[in-house]
Amino acid sequence: MDSRVQFCTACGAGVEKKIPPGDDHRRYVCTVCGNIHYQNPKLVVGCIPEYQHRILLCKRDIEPRRGKWTLPAGFLENGETVREGAMRETYEEALVRVEIIAPFRLFDLAFVNQLYLMFRASILVPDFGPTPESSEVRLVLEEDIPWDDIAFPVIARTLRHYFSDRVKGQFSFQSLELSKSTSAIK
Amino acid sequence: MDSRVQFCTACGAGVEKKIPPGDDHRRYVCTVCGNIHYQNPKLVVGCIPEYQHRILLCKRDIEPRRGKWTLPAGFLENGETVREGAMRETYEEALVRVEIIAPFRLFDLAFVNQLYLMFRASILVPDFGPTPESSEVRLVLEEDIPWDDIAFPVIARTLRHYFSDRVKGQFSFQSLELSKSTSAIK
């Protein structure tokens, strides 16, 4: 999922895709000024907000997967730390303030040039509500997770790992890779 | 360290910086086609390659900090996992093959819109050498680390944490924030 570049951001001339001298990757290079437009993976940050053994889920009111349930998460912005990004996304999607506990899972989704970093988090005051991004926000027990209606495989995976660690009483950080095929498995 | 965008990558027209509807960040928005040019932090991946209690260091032969010592690390590329990126950078900078053990530290460098993910790694065969990026590559004992000539504060920090964990006989993953001021501290 390369974002297509057709014109140079520095001079507005056309670009071509080629390997610059001393490089080994094809890049979008300006045919006039030579500016190189690098493209790199994007980091999604989010959390698993817990309150009295319940997990906060958001029903997506935006595409893709409108109407499906997810954990709060979104692209890290310039100038913020991963914790700040996870807290901001959680507030934007569910109007709830969380306390970040620790990083829980880092998933490589190299097939879409994304990484997901999911934190464990606590809700101190269960004050939340719908937002432009979420038509509904709920605290749900493990047995009530709508497994068939989770928006993305990486979110279902995060939840399963979380419950699996929680029952053992020990959470450990892991960095894992999801392939296009494994990510289809809930 | 926002990369300045002056022209639209989709149509070549001029852009302006403004908050798009429904957004809360200023973005580069095309004045003609409305294309939004998002900018996000970049992830640097690298490792601490160890061989018989020695750490592999590279003497930079490129700017910035040419002539200073560093651990192999570089920007994650589209299409690769964080482990693949760390292994590739290590080979590019030191011509050495490493086995990645586990993620060790994730540093937020929000003030330059970067994150550093550093892995522990083993060198199986101590076969390495200089490259276009490194004028010299060496295996050094902790007592021989050239602390005054380490290229970047985040690298010095990684090494100090590594030796501190190693002496305890236990490595734990941590996600930490470096500020512009703390990053000046070795």
Side-chain angles (χ1 to χ4, degrees), chain B residues 8-44:
Chain B
C8 177
T9 54
C11 79
V15 299
E16 57 181 345
K17 220 168 177 183
K18 66 173 188 182
I19 300 176
D23 202 333
D24 53 3
H25 282 72
R26 294 176 75 225
R27 316 281 183 189
Y28 292 107
V29 181
C30 179
T31 53
V32 172
C33 77
N35 186 36
I36 302 170
H37 302 77
Y38 294 97
Q39 299 208 317
N40 301 89
K42 287 185 199 290
L43 181 61
V44 173

PDB file of all heavy atoms in Angstrom, chain B residues 8-44:
ATOM      1  N   CYS B   8       1.176  19.426  -4.556  1.00  0.00           N
ATOM      2  CA  CYS B   8       0.360  18.222  -4.378  1.00  0.00           C
ATOM      3  C   CYS B   8       0.952  17.033  -5.140  1.00  0.00           C
ATOM      4  O   CYS B   8       1.285  17.160  -6.322  1.00  0.00           O
ATOM      5  CB  CYS B   8      -1.058  18.508  -4.883  1.00  0.00           C
ATOM      6  SG  CYS B   8      -2.143  17.067  -4.802  1.00  0.00           S
ATOM      7  N   THR B   9       1.054  15.880  -4.461  1.00  0.00           N
ATOM      8  CA  THR B   9       1.623  14.685  -5.099  1.00  0.00           C
ATOM      9  C   THR B   9       0.658  14.086  -6.125  1.00  0.00           C
ATOM     10  O   THR B   9       1.072  13.326  -6.989  1.00  0.00           O
ATOM     11  CB  THR B   9       1.932  13.599  -4.044  1.00  0.00           C
ATOM     12  OG1 THR B   9       0.742  13.357  -3.287  1.00  0.00           O
ATOM     13  CG2 THR B   9       3.053  14.023  -3.124  1.00  0.00           C
ATOM     14  N   ALA B  10      -0.629  14.447  -6.027  1.00  0.00           N
ATOM     15  CA  ALA B  10      -1.625  13.867  -6.941  1.00  0.00           C
ATOM     16  C   ALA B  10      -1.830  14.708  -8.198  1.00  0.00           C
ATOM     17  O   ALA B  10      -2.039  14.166  -9.279  1.00  0.00           O
ATOM     18  CB  ALA B  10      -2.954  13.685  -6.217  1.00  0.00           C
ATOM     19  N   CYS B  11      -1.767  16.062  -8.057  1.00  0.00           N
ATOM     20  CA  CYS B  11      -2.057  16.893  -9.240  1.00  0.00           C
ATOM     21  C   CYS B  11      -1.012  17.970  -9.507  1.00  0.00           C
ATOM     22  O   CYS B  11      -1.084  18.642 -10.538  1.00  0.00           O
ATOM     23  CB  CYS B  11      -3.459  17.511  -9.113  1.00  0.00           C
ATOM     24  SG  CYS B  11      -3.523  18.940  -8.018  1.00  0.00           S
ATOM     25  N   GLY B  12      -0.050  18.150  -8.617  1.00  0.00           N
ATOM     26  CA  GLY B  12       1.027  19.109  -8.865  1.00  0.00           C
ATOM     27  C   GLY B  12       0.691  20.557  -8.536  1.00  0.00           C
ATOM     28  O   GLY B  12       1.543  21.437  -8.671  1.00  0.00           O
ATOM     29  N   ALA B  13      -0.537  20.819  -8.084  1.00  0.00           N
ATOM     30  CA  ALA B  13      -0.916  22.198  -7.730  1.00  0.00           C
ATOM     31  C   ALA B  13      -0.331  22.563  -6.361  1.00  0.00           C
ATOM     32  O   ALA B  13       0.184  21.711  -5.641  1.00  0.00           O
ATOM     33  CB  ALA B  13      -2.432  22.335  -7.719  1.00  0.00           C
ATOM     34  N   GLY B  14      -0.446  23.829  -5.980  1.00  0.00           N
ATOM     35  CA  GLY B  14       0.064  24.275  -4.683  1.00  0.00           C
ATOM     36  C   GLY B  14      -0.785  23.742  -3.527  1.00  0.00           C
ATOM     37  O   GLY B  14      -1.968  23.457  -3.686  1.00  0.00           O
ATOM     38  N   VAL B  15      -0.163  23.613  -2.364  1.00  0.00           N
ATOM     39  CA  VAL B  15      -0.907  23.177  -1.177  1.00  0.00           C
ATOM     40  C   VAL B  15      -0.937  24.314  -0.158  1.00  0.00           C
ATOM     41  O   VAL B  15      -0.131  25.246  -0.226  1.00  0.00           O
ATOM     42  CB  VAL B  15      -0.273  21.933  -0.511  1.00  0.00           C
ATOM     43  CG1 VAL B  15      -0.251  20.755  -1.470  1.00  0.00           C
ATOM     44  CG2 VAL B  15       1.115  22.233   0.025  1.00  0.00           C
ATOM     45  N   GLU B  16      -1.869  24.217   0.804  1.00  0.00           N
ATOM     46  CA  GLU B  16      -1.857  25.157   1.927  1.00  0.00           C
ATOM     47  C   GLU B  16      -1.983  24.339   3.202  1.00  0.00           C
ATOM     48  O   GLU B  16      -2.487  23.213   3.185  1.00  0.00           O
ATOM     49  CB  GLU B  16      -3.015  26.161   1.815  1.00  0.00           C
ATOM     50  CG  GLU B  16      -4.374  25.514   1.729  1.00  0.00           C
ATOM     51  CD  GLU B  16      -5.504  26.532   1.589  1.00  0.00           C
ATOM     52  OE1 GLU B  16      -5.256  27.732   1.834  1.00  0.00           O
ATOM     53  OE2 GLU B  16      -6.630  26.121   1.250  1.00  0.00           O
ATOM     54  N   LYS B  17      -1.523  24.901   4.322  1.00  0.00           N
ATOM     55  CA  LYS B  17      -1.608  24.178   5.571  1.00  0.00           C
ATOM     56  C   LYS B  17      -2.876  24.608   6.275  1.00  0.00           C
ATOM     57  O   LYS B  17      -3.054  25.784   6.593  1.00  0.00           O
ATOM     58  CB  LYS B  17      -0.369  24.453   6.423  1.00  0.00           C
ATOM     59  CG  LYS B  17       0.096  23.202   7.128  1.00  0.00           C
ATOM     60  CD  LYS B  17       1.457  23.283   7.754  1.00  0.00           C
ATOM     61  CE  LYS B  17       1.740  21.962   8.487  1.00  0.00           C
ATOM     62  NZ  LYS B  17       2.999  21.951   9.186  1.00  0.00           N
ATOM     63  N   LYS B  18      -3.781  23.653   6.499  1.00  0.00           N
ATOM     64  CA  LYS B  18      -5.016  23.991   7.215  1.00  0.00           C
ATOM     65  C   LYS B  18      -5.618  22.740   7.846  1.00  0.00           C
ATOM     66  O   LYS B  18      -5.201  21.623   7.548  1.00  0.00           O
ATOM     67  CB  LYS B  18      -6.013  24.649   6.262  1.00  0.00           C
ATOM     68  CG  LYS B  18      -6.540  23.752   5.166  1.00  0.00           C
ATOM     69  CD  LYS B  18      -7.645  24.469   4.391  1.00  0.00           C
ATOM     70  CE  LYS B  18      -8.315  23.521   3.413  1.00  0.00           C
ATOM     71  NZ  LYS B  18      -9.347  24.194   2.611  1.00  0.00           N
ATOM     72  N   ILE B  19      -6.583  22.970   8.715  1.00  0.00           N
ATOM     73  CA  ILE B  19      -7.252  21.841   9.367  1.00  0.00           C
ATOM     74  C   ILE B  19      -8.410  21.387   8.478  1.00  0.00           C
ATOM     75  O   ILE B  19      -9.350  22.140   8.256  1.00  0.00           O
ATOM     76  CB  ILE B  19      -7.762  22.248  10.766  1.00  0.00           C
ATOM     77  CG1 ILE B  19      -6.582  22.691  11.645  1.00  0.00           C
ATOM     78  CG2 ILE B  19      -8.527  21.099  11.419  1.00  0.00           C
ATOM     79  CD1 ILE B  19      -6.966  23.196  13.024  1.00  0.00           C
ATOM     80  N   PRO B  20      -8.325  20.165   7.938  1.00  0.00           N
ATOM     81  CA  PRO B  20      -9.426  19.687   7.090  1.00  0.00           C
ATOM     82  C   PRO B  20     -10.694  19.473   7.932  1.00  0.00           C
ATOM     83  O   PRO B  20     -10.609  19.282   9.157  1.00  0.00           O
ATOM     84  CB  PRO B  20      -8.914  18.340   6.556  1.00  0.00           C
ATOM     85  CG  PRO B  20      -7.441  18.316   6.842  1.00  0.00           C
ATOM     86  CD  PRO B  20      -7.254  19.165   8.065  1.00  0.00           C
ATOM     87  N   PRO B  21     -11.882  19.509   7.304  1.00  0.00           N
ATOM     88  CA  PRO B  21     -13.130  19.291   8.041  1.00  0.00           C
ATOM     89  C   PRO B  21     -13.086  17.954   8.790  1.00  0.00           C
ATOM     90  O   PRO B  21     -12.660  16.953   8.231  1.00  0.00           O
ATOM     91  CB  PRO B  21     -14.196  19.245   6.935  1.00  0.00           C
ATOM     92  CG  PRO B  21     -13.566  19.873   5.728  1.00  0.00           C
ATOM     93  CD  PRO B  21     -12.095  19.667   5.856  1.00  0.00           C
ATOM     94  N   GLY B  22     -13.505  17.977  10.041  1.00  0.00           N
ATOM     95  CA  GLY B  22     -13.552  16.745  10.835  1.00  0.00           C
ATOM     96  C   GLY B  22     -12.199  16.335  11.404  1.00  0.00           C
ATOM     97  O   GLY B  22     -12.087  15.325  12.087  1.00  0.00           O
ATOM     98  N   ASP B  23     -11.173  17.100  11.129  1.00  0.00           N
ATOM     99  CA  ASP B  23      -9.829  16.787  11.620  1.00  0.00           C
ATOM    100  C   ASP B  23      -9.505  17.758  12.747  1.00  0.00           C
ATOM    101  O   ASP B  23     -10.260  18.706  13.004  1.00  0.00           O
ATOM    102  CB  ASP B  23      -8.832  16.945  10.464  1.00  0.00           C
ATOM    103  CG  ASP B  23      -7.545  16.156  10.692  1.00  0.00           C
ATOM    104  OD1 ASP B  23      -7.178  15.920  11.851  1.00  0.00           O
ATOM    105  OD2 ASP B  23      -6.897  15.794   9.694  1.00  0.00           O
ATOM    106  N   ASP B  24      -8.395  17.537  13.449  1.00  0.00           N
ATOM    107  CA  ASP B  24      -7.992  18.524  14.442  1.00  0.00           C
ATOM    108  C   ASP B  24      -6.498  18.820  14.353  1.00  0.00           C
ATOM    109  O   ASP B  24      -5.919  19.424  15.247  1.00  0.00           O
ATOM    110  CB  ASP B  24      -8.385  18.087  15.859  1.00  0.00           C
ATOM    111  CG  ASP B  24      -7.874  16.708  16.175  1.00  0.00           C
ATOM    112  OD1 ASP B  24      -7.175  16.114  15.327  1.00  0.00           O
ATOM    113  OD2 ASP B  24      -8.166  16.208  17.281  1.00  0.00           O
ATOM    114  N   HIS B  25      -5.880  18.387  13.260  1.00  0.00           N
ATOM    115  CA  HIS B  25      -4.473  18.704  13.011  1.00  0.00           C
ATOM    116  C   HIS B  25      -4.372  19.480  11.710  1.00  0.00           C
ATOM    117  O   HIS B  25      -5.134  19.233  10.780  1.00  0.00           O
ATOM    118  CB  HIS B  25      -3.655  17.418  12.868  1.00  0.00           C
ATOM    119  CG  HIS B  25      -3.334  16.760  14.169  1.00  0.00           C
ATOM    120  ND1 HIS B  25      -4.274  16.097  14.926  1.00  0.00           N
ATOM    121  CD2 HIS B  25      -2.153  16.653  14.852  1.00  0.00           C
ATOM    122  CE1 HIS B  25      -3.683  15.610  16.015  1.00  0.00           C
ATOM    123  NE2 HIS B  25      -2.419  15.927  15.994  1.00  0.00           N
ATOM    124  N   ARG B  26      -3.406  20.384  11.662  1.00  0.00           N
ATOM    125  CA  ARG B  26      -3.136  21.099  10.410  1.00  0.00           C
ATOM    126  C   ARG B  26      -2.424  20.153   9.453  1.00  0.00           C
ATOM    127  O   ARG B  26      -1.496  19.451   9.858  1.00  0.00           O
ATOM    128  CB  ARG B  26      -2.287  22.349  10.669  1.00  0.00           C
ATOM    129  CG  ARG B  26      -3.051  23.389  11.492  1.00  0.00           C
ATOM    130  CD  ARG B  26      -2.167  24.579  11.830  1.00  0.00           C
ATOM    131  NE  ARG B  26      -1.973  25.433  10.668  1.00  0.00           N
ATOM    132  CZ  ARG B  26      -0.802  25.946  10.293  1.00  0.00           C
ATOM    133  NH1 ARG B  26       0.295  25.671  10.973  1.00  0.00           N
ATOM    134  NH2 ARG B  26      -0.720  26.723   9.240  1.00  0.00           N
ATOM    135  N   ARG B  27      -2.899  20.107   8.216  1.00  0.00           N
ATOM    136  CA  ARG B  27      -2.318  19.224   7.202  1.00  0.00           C
ATOM    137  C   ARG B  27      -2.012  20.042   5.956  1.00  0.00           C
ATOM    138  O   ARG B  27      -2.594  21.113   5.747  1.00  0.00           O
ATOM    139  CB  ARG B  27      -3.327  18.134   6.787  1.00  0.00           C
ATOM    140  CG  ARG B  27      -4.080  17.467   7.895  1.00  0.00           C
ATOM    141  CD  ARG B  27      -3.260  16.415   8.599  1.00  0.00           C
ATOM    142  NE  ARG B  27      -4.046  15.738   9.623  1.00  0.00           N
ATOM    143  CZ  ARG B  27      -3.531  14.888  10.514  1.00  0.00           C
ATOM    144  NH1 ARG B  27      -2.239  14.607  10.515  1.00  0.00           N
ATOM    145  NH2 ARG B  27      -4.288  14.313  11.425  1.00  0.00           N
ATOM    146  N   TYR B  28      -1.167  19.463   5.110  1.00  0.00           N
ATOM    147  CA  TYR B  28      -0.937  20.058   3.799  1.00  0.00           C
ATOM    148  C   TYR B  28      -2.083  19.612   2.897  1.00  0.00           C
ATOM    149  O   TYR B  28      -2.195  18.429   2.568  1.00  0.00           O
ATOM    150  CB  TYR B  28       0.393  19.602   3.214  1.00  0.00           C
ATOM    151  CG  TYR B  28       1.603  20.137   3.950  1.00  0.00           C
ATOM    152  CD1 TYR B  28       2.371  19.320   4.766  1.00  0.00           C
ATOM    153  CD2 TYR B  28       1.973  21.473   3.820  1.00  0.00           C
ATOM    154  CE1 TYR B  28       3.491  19.814   5.436  1.00  0.00           C
ATOM    155  CE2 TYR B  28       3.083  21.979   4.487  1.00  0.00           C
ATOM    156  CZ  TYR B  28       3.836  21.146   5.293  1.00  0.00           C
ATOM    157  OH  TYR B  28       4.933  21.644   5.958  1.00  0.00           O
ATOM    158  N   VAL B  29      -2.945  20.564   2.500  1.00  0.00           N
ATOM    159  CA  VAL B  29      -4.130  20.241   1.708  1.00  0.00           C
ATOM    160  C   VAL B  29      -4.004  20.918   0.342  1.00  0.00           C
ATOM    161  O   VAL B  29      -3.676  22.114   0.258  1.00  0.00           O
ATOM    162  CB  VAL B  29      -5.412  20.735   2.414  1.00  0.00           C
ATOM    163  CG1 VAL B  29      -6.657  20.374   1.604  1.00  0.00           C
ATOM    164  CG2 VAL B  29      -5.503  20.154   3.825  1.00  0.00           C
ATOM    165  N   CYS B  30      -4.272  20.173  -0.727  1.00  0.00           N
ATOM    166  CA  CYS B  30      -4.152  20.726  -2.072  1.00  0.00           C
ATOM    167  C   CYS B  30      -5.240  21.774  -2.313  1.00  0.00           C
ATOM    168  O   CYS B  30      -6.416  21.540  -2.008  1.00  0.00           O
ATOM    169  CB  CYS B  30      -4.251  19.614  -3.112  1.00  0.00           C
ATOM    170  SG  CYS B  30      -4.125  20.273  -4.799  1.00  0.00           S
ATOM    171  N   THR B  31      -4.828  22.919  -2.863  1.00  0.00           N
ATOM    172  CA  THR B  31      -5.775  24.015  -3.105  1.00  0.00           C
ATOM    173  C   THR B  31      -6.670  23.716  -4.317  1.00  0.00           C
ATOM    174  O   THR B  31      -7.683  24.371  -4.510  1.00  0.00           O
ATOM    175  CB  THR B  31      -5.021  25.344  -3.391  1.00  0.00           C
ATOM    176  OG1 THR B  31      -4.078  25.101  -4.447  1.00  0.00           O
ATOM    177  CG2 THR B  31      -4.278  25.816  -2.158  1.00  0.00           C
ATOM    178  N   VAL B  32      -6.297  22.732  -5.128  1.00  0.00           N
ATOM    179  CA  VAL B  32      -7.092  22.411  -6.318  1.00  0.00           C
ATOM    180  C   VAL B  32      -7.897  21.123  -6.145  1.00  0.00           C
ATOM    181  O   VAL B  32      -9.119  21.124  -6.230  1.00  0.00           O
ATOM    182  CB  VAL B  32      -6.196  22.339  -7.588  1.00  0.00           C
ATOM    183  CG1 VAL B  32      -6.977  21.823  -8.789  1.00  0.00           C
ATOM    184  CG2 VAL B  32      -5.611  23.716  -7.887  1.00  0.00           C
ATOM    185  N   CYS B  33      -7.203  20.004  -5.869  1.00  0.00           N
ATOM    186  CA  CYS B  33      -7.926  18.716  -5.815  1.00  0.00           C
ATOM    187  C   CYS B  33      -8.311  18.306  -4.397  1.00  0.00           C
ATOM    188  O   CYS B  33      -9.028  17.325  -4.202  1.00  0.00           O
ATOM    189  CB  CYS B  33      -7.136  17.609  -6.514  1.00  0.00           C
ATOM    190  SG  CYS B  33      -5.742  16.966  -5.550  1.00  0.00           S
ATOM    191  N   GLY B  34      -7.821  19.029  -3.378  1.00  0.00           N
ATOM    192  CA  GLY B  34      -8.219  18.732  -2.002  1.00  0.00           C
ATOM    193  C   GLY B  34      -7.486  17.569  -1.358  1.00  0.00           C
ATOM    194  O   GLY B  34      -7.741  17.229  -0.190  1.00  0.00           O
ATOM    195  N   ASN B  35      -6.559  16.956  -2.084  1.00  0.00           N
ATOM    196  CA  ASN B  35      -5.782  15.830  -1.537  1.00  0.00           C
ATOM    197  C   ASN B  35      -5.082  16.261  -0.239  1.00  0.00           C
ATOM    198  O   ASN B  35      -4.499  17.345  -0.172  1.00  0.00           O
ATOM    199  CB  ASN B  35      -4.753  15.396  -2.593  1.00  0.00           C
ATOM    200  CG  ASN B  35      -3.980  14.150  -2.195  1.00  0.00           C
ATOM    201  OD1 ASN B  35      -4.535  13.245  -1.577  1.00  0.00           O
ATOM    202  ND2 ASN B  35      -2.709  14.104  -2.554  1.00  0.00           N
ATOM    203  N   ILE B  36      -5.157  15.398   0.783  1.00  0.00           N
ATOM    204  CA  ILE B  36      -4.519  15.706   2.068  1.00  0.00           C
ATOM    205  C   ILE B  36      -3.217  14.921   2.180  1.00  0.00           C
ATOM    206  O   ILE B  36      -3.203  13.710   1.956  1.00  0.00           O
ATOM    207  CB  ILE B  36      -5.457  15.348   3.248  1.00  0.00           C
ATOM    208  CG1 ILE B  36      -6.786  16.115   3.122  1.00  0.00           C
ATOM    209  CG2 ILE B  36      -4.783  15.656   4.590  1.00  0.00           C
ATOM    210  CD1 ILE B  36      -7.857  15.655   4.090  1.00  0.00           C
ATOM    211  N   HIS B  37      -2.132  15.605   2.516  1.00  0.00           N
ATOM    212  CA  HIS B  37      -0.820  14.965   2.638  1.00  0.00           C
ATOM    213  C   HIS B  37      -0.502  14.772   4.112  1.00  0.00           C
ATOM    214  O   HIS B  37      -0.004  15.689   4.762  1.00  0.00           O
ATOM    215  CB  HIS B  37       0.246  15.816   1.949  1.00  0.00           C
ATOM    216  CG  HIS B  37      -0.050  16.054   0.490  1.00  0.00           C
ATOM    217  ND1 HIS B  37      -0.990  16.958   0.059  1.00  0.00           N
ATOM    218  CD2 HIS B  37       0.440  15.462  -0.632  1.00  0.00           C
ATOM    219  CE1 HIS B  37      -1.055  16.925  -1.271  1.00  0.00           C
ATOM    220  NE2 HIS B  37      -0.205  16.026  -1.711  1.00  0.00           N
ATOM    221  N   TYR B  38      -0.820  13.591   4.624  1.00  0.00           N
ATOM    222  CA  TYR B  38      -0.567  13.294   6.036  1.00  0.00           C
ATOM    223  C   TYR B  38       0.923  13.065   6.234  1.00  0.00           C
ATOM    224  O   TYR B  38       1.615  12.568   5.350  1.00  0.00           O
ATOM    225  CB  TYR B  38      -1.327  12.036   6.457  1.00  0.00           C
ATOM    226  CG  TYR B  38      -2.824  12.216   6.435  1.00  0.00           C
ATOM    227  CD1 TYR B  38      -3.574  11.801   5.337  1.00  0.00           C
ATOM    228  CD2 TYR B  38      -3.485  12.812   7.503  1.00  0.00           C
ATOM    229  CE1 TYR B  38      -4.952  11.979   5.305  1.00  0.00           C
ATOM    230  CE2 TYR B  38      -4.867  12.992   7.486  1.00  0.00           C
ATOM    231  CZ  TYR B  38      -5.591  12.573   6.380  1.00  0.00           C
ATOM    232  OH  TYR B  38      -6.946  12.752   6.352  1.00  0.00           O
ATOM    233  N   GLN B  39       1.390  13.406   7.418  1.00  0.00           N
ATOM    234  CA  GLN B  39       2.787  13.136   7.759  1.00  0.00           C
ATOM    235  C   GLN B  39       2.823  12.447   9.117  1.00  0.00           C
ATOM    236  O   GLN B  39       2.145  12.881  10.058  1.00  0.00           O
ATOM    237  CB  GLN B  39       3.573  14.439   7.812  1.00  0.00           C
ATOM    238  CG  GLN B  39       3.534  15.130   6.450  1.00  0.00           C
ATOM    239  CD  GLN B  39       4.745  15.977   6.203  1.00  0.00           C
ATOM    240  OE1 GLN B  39       5.183  16.684   7.097  1.00  0.00           O
ATOM    241  NE2 GLN B  39       5.296  15.893   5.012  1.00  0.00           N
ATOM    242  N   ASN B  40       3.572  11.373   9.200  1.00  0.00           N
ATOM    243  CA  ASN B  40       3.588  10.574  10.418  1.00  0.00           C
ATOM    244  C   ASN B  40       5.020  10.247  10.836  1.00  0.00           C
ATOM    245  O   ASN B  40       5.924  10.302  10.013  1.00  0.00           O
ATOM    246  CB  ASN B  40       2.803   9.276  10.185  1.00  0.00           C
ATOM    247  CG  ASN B  40       1.357   9.543   9.798  1.00  0.00           C
ATOM    248  OD1 ASN B  40       1.047   9.682   8.623  1.00  0.00           O
ATOM    249  ND2 ASN B  40       0.491   9.636  10.778  1.00  0.00           N
ATOM    250  N   PRO B  41       5.178   9.908  12.120  1.00  0.00           N
ATOM    251  CA  PRO B  41       6.517   9.577  12.613  1.00  0.00           C
ATOM    252  C   PRO B  41       7.114   8.380  11.856  1.00  0.00           C
ATOM    253  O   PRO B  41       6.385   7.524  11.359  1.00  0.00           O
ATOM    254  CB  PRO B  41       6.270   9.210  14.073  1.00  0.00           C
ATOM    255  CG  PRO B  41       4.994   9.891  14.433  1.00  0.00           C
ATOM    256  CD  PRO B  41       4.167   9.852  13.187  1.00  0.00           C
ATOM    257  N   LYS B  42       8.424   8.340  11.830  1.00  0.00           N
ATOM    258  CA  LYS B  42       9.118   7.230  11.178  1.00  0.00           C
ATOM    259  C   LYS B  42       9.768   6.339  12.233  1.00  0.00           C
ATOM    260  O   LYS B  42      10.260   6.815  13.247  1.00  0.00           O
ATOM    261  CB  LYS B  42      10.194   7.765  10.238  1.00  0.00           C
ATOM    262  CG  LYS B  42       9.612   8.378   8.966  1.00  0.00           C
ATOM    263  CD  LYS B  42      10.737   8.779   8.023  1.00  0.00           C
ATOM    264  CE  LYS B  42      10.297   9.779   6.993  1.00  0.00           C
ATOM    265  NZ  LYS B  42       9.392   9.260   5.991  1.00  0.00           N
ATOM    266  N   LEU B  43       9.758   5.048  11.922  1.00  0.00           N
ATOM    267  CA  LEU B  43      10.328   4.070  12.844  1.00  0.00           C
ATOM    268  C   LEU B  43      11.724   3.662  12.386  1.00  0.00           C
ATOM    269  O   LEU B  43      11.912   3.231  11.246  1.00  0.00           O
ATOM    270  CB  LEU B  43       9.413   2.839  12.900  1.00  0.00           C
ATOM    271  CG  LEU B  43       9.847   1.728  13.846  1.00  0.00           C
ATOM    272  CD1 LEU B  43       9.908   2.206  15.290  1.00  0.00           C
ATOM    273  CD2 LEU B  43       8.892   0.538  13.749  1.00  0.00           C
ATOM    274  N   VAL B  44      12.680   3.813  13.298  1.00  0.00           N
ATOM    275  CA  VAL B  44      14.045   3.345  13.076  1.00  0.00           C
ATOM    276  C   VAL B  44      14.169   1.996  13.783  1.00  0.00           C
ATOM    277  O   VAL B  44      13.773   1.866  14.940  1.00  0.00           O
ATOM    278  CB  VAL B  44      15.069   4.352  13.658  1.00  0.00           C
ATOM    279  CG1 VAL B  44      16.485   3.796  13.588  1.00  0.00           C
ATOM    280  CG2 VAL B  44      14.970   5.691  12.929  1.00  0.00           C
TER     281      VAL B  44
END
